Amino acid sequence: MAARTTTARELERLEASGLGIEEHSIVREAGSTFLLARTTGGDNVLAVGGDGGGFSGEPHESSGLLMCPLSAANAEALRGRLPWLRPSPLGLKTSAGFGDQLGLATPGHVRAVRAVGGEAGPIAPIFAQQSVRENARTGRTPQQVLDDALWGLFAEGWRAPWGADADHLKTADDVEAFAAAGYTFFTIDPGGHVDDEAHVARAGGIEAKVLALPWGALEDRLTDLEARYLGRPIPLNGGPFLFERRDLWRAAAKYGRAVAHTAAMYRAIVERMGSSRFELEVSVDETASPTSVAEHVFIASELGRLGVRWVSLAPRFVGEFEKGVDYIGDLEAFAAEFARHAQVARTLGPYKLSLHSGSDKFSIYPIAARLAAGGPGRGPLVHLKTAGTSYLEALRTVAAAEPELFREILA
């Protein structure tokens, strides 16, 4: 295993050569040394000692190290030497995704995870997480997001498995840049194919919507759909669940097109990834109406029938999930509904329930952890997805430290 520390004398020698050293980053592997350093000019660089093959940089006369800019090419070369810097699937372990719209927050995220148990602790982290929409707004690429996370992990000396989430993918074309960069977790967002009108439509409107579903893409017929569900109790952990025709039709009308789209997206990812391992999340949280238990059963059952395999699913829960503030809603109503969703996830999976816009939802964390218990030897079947909070905290810090700069940003 690679060494994780260096001697005080070696640190003094490197610092005497004019370099500022990130002590936790120092790694010796196969006769080479890798570390993050800050030059006298204030630039952060990757310093390589020994075999510098594959790295691009300039020699540093005083230390004898190769000074390499934090470029995409050097990040890829470092991943080739230190495999733990590549993201990997995380399975059913309780997990959390840390959105970082600045590309600077990963060291803080690492310290937060270490504070609740460390690298072998109860939370599996996804340190690179960004959606197509967020990349468009910030002017970053999937590769830049992944590389920014890598340098943060390297600086902190993180060695345990971690994930990279291509968040809220809406089209097959969205997949390519994330797959090419090496992401391992793909979140499909079929929200644009959810028919929210079906939530309140009358019987005649529901029937028209059901008859107009893309039955070919669903590889199904209405008669077969009814034969699978009507009069056939589904054994959930909390007791048998039985579909009434009106509930089945409403679920199909509301989510049928979303199921077809998700299956098509999943197959596109499988084709693109080939033999590379990845995980899937299905997200229907960005819709106007909550996902009922019947609709959850329909979504999970139909995706399974179509061969889709996923590790987590994000329903639209009751209440409001706004970014950067606590849950808005009735906690007892949330707990009652979450318990039923957890029964579906355990029975038809198991898979994790995903809490989107989950930052600062302190009042519901204990509820989710308790009700989504995964059984002996397994933590709660929950994935917590946060985004934007580190950006807000950065603004808070700027406002406290440099009020004039904050006013300029606000303007």
Side-chain angles (χ1 to χ4, degrees):
M1 182 169 177
R4 298 184 61 172
T5 60
T6 192
T7 67
R9 178 175 296 179
E10 287 172 315
L11 274 177
E12 289 175 3
R13 180 181 65 80
L14 290 171
E15 291 172 346
S17 68
L19 297 175
I21 306 300
E22 288 282 0
E23 182 176 355
H24 295 299
S25 72
I26 300 173
V27 177
R28 296 186 187 87
E29 181 75 12
S32 295
T33 300
F34 306 96
L35 57 98
L36 276 180
R38 183 183 293 273
T39 67
T40 52
D43 295 325
N44 290 321
V45 296
L46 167 66
V48 181
D51 179 11
F55 294 93
S56 175
E58 299 292 334
H60 186 258
E61 186 173 343
S62 300
S63 66
L65 298 172
L66 185 66
M67 300 286 105
C68 308
L70 305 188
S71 65
N74 284 329
E76 183 58 29
L78 190 63
R79 275 188 283 266
R81 296 288 192 93
L82 307 178
W84 60 80
L85 292 177
R86 293 189 184 276
S88 61
L90 302 174
L92 290 177
K93 186 173 181 178
T94 307
S95 53
F98 304 100
D100 175 13
Q101 295 166 346
L102 297 173
L104 301 171
T106 297
H109 292 156
V110 169
R111 295 169 199 171
V113 175
R114 283 179 170 154
V116 292
E119 297 184 11
I123 305 295
I126 291 182
F127 286 125
Q129 173 194 290
Q130 204 90 318
S131 69
V132 175
R133 177 178 60 195
E134 288 168 333
N135 280 332
R137 289 177 175 175
T138 58
R140 300 166 78 203
T141 67
Q143 188 67 64
Q144 287 172 320
V145 172
L146 192 69
D147 292 347
D148 287 340
L150 174 145
W151 297 121
L153 295 170
F154 182 52
E156 291 295 315
W158 182 268
R159 300 289 189 277
W162 59 284
D165 181 1
D167 194 19
H168 281 287
L169 302 177
K170 296 178 182 291
T171 72
D173 290 340
D174 293 339
V175 173
E176 178 56 36
F178 291 96
Y183 283 64
T184 54
F185 189 98
F186 295 84
T187 300
I188 296 175
D189 178 2
H193 301 267
V194 175
D195 187 345
D196 269 309
E197 292 182 358
H199 192 73
V200 294
R202 295 181 181 276
I206 290 291
E207 182 178 9
K209 291 176 182 296
V210 169
L211 294 176
L213 285 174
W215 293 103
L218 289 167
E219 302 173 22
D220 201 10
R221 297 181 303 177
L222 178 55
T223 54
D224 293 337
L225 175 73
E226 292 187 335
R228 285 196 304 277
Y229 292 103
L230 298 183
R232 293 175 176 265
I234 297 171
L236 300 182
N237 293 348
F241 177 85
L242 186 64
F243 267 105
E244 299 288 343
R245 177 175 275 105
R246 65 177 182 276
D247 296 326
L248 176 62
W249 279 33
R250 193 176 297 278
K254 185 176 176 181
Y255 287 106
R257 295 180 187 276
V259 166
H261 178 73
T262 300
M265 286 283 290
Y266 173 72
R267 291 163 185 168
I269 297 170
V270 168
E271 182 176 1
R272 173 56 182 80
M273 295 296 287
S275 60
S276 299
R277 295 170 58 235
F278 72 92
E279 293 174 326
L280 188 80
E281 175 164 290
V282 181
S283 166
V284 293
D285 69 297
E286 293 192 357
T287 57
S289 55
T291 306
S292 70
V293 172
E295 290 161 354
H296 186 170
V297 171
F298 174 82
I299 293 167
S301 300
E302 291 303 291
L303 287 176
R305 179 181 64 83
L306 291 170
V308 178
R309 299 292 177 264
W310 66 98
V311 73
S312 53
L313 187 146
R316 166 67 162 86
F317 293 109
V318 296
E320 299 297 328
F321 287 74
E322 301 293 344
K323 299 185 188 306
V325 297
D326 205 341
Y327 173 76
I328 302 171
D330 185 320
L331 289 176
E332 290 187 6
F334 172 81
E337 198 71 1
F338 189 91
R340 289 189 282 268
H341 283 294
Q343 291 168 5
V344 176
R346 277 192 292 266
T347 303
L348 300 184
Y351 50 85
K352 293 181 279 191
L353 288 177
S354 191
L355 299 170
H356 284 206
S357 295
S359 55
D360 303 278
K361 304 297 180 291
F362 301 110
S363 63
I364 66 171
Y365 296 157
I367 296 172
R370 172 172 55 86
L371 296 177
R378 177 182 287 169
L381 290 170
V382 172
H383 176 61
L384 174 66
K385 184 168 293 195
T386 71
T389 304
S390 53
Y391 174 70
L392 294 174
E393 293 302 324
L395 284 176
R396 187 199 303 271
T397 304
V398 171
E402 297 274 357
E404 291 185 5
L405 175 59
F406 176 76
R407 294 190 188 101
E408 181 181 341
I409 294 171
L410 185 61

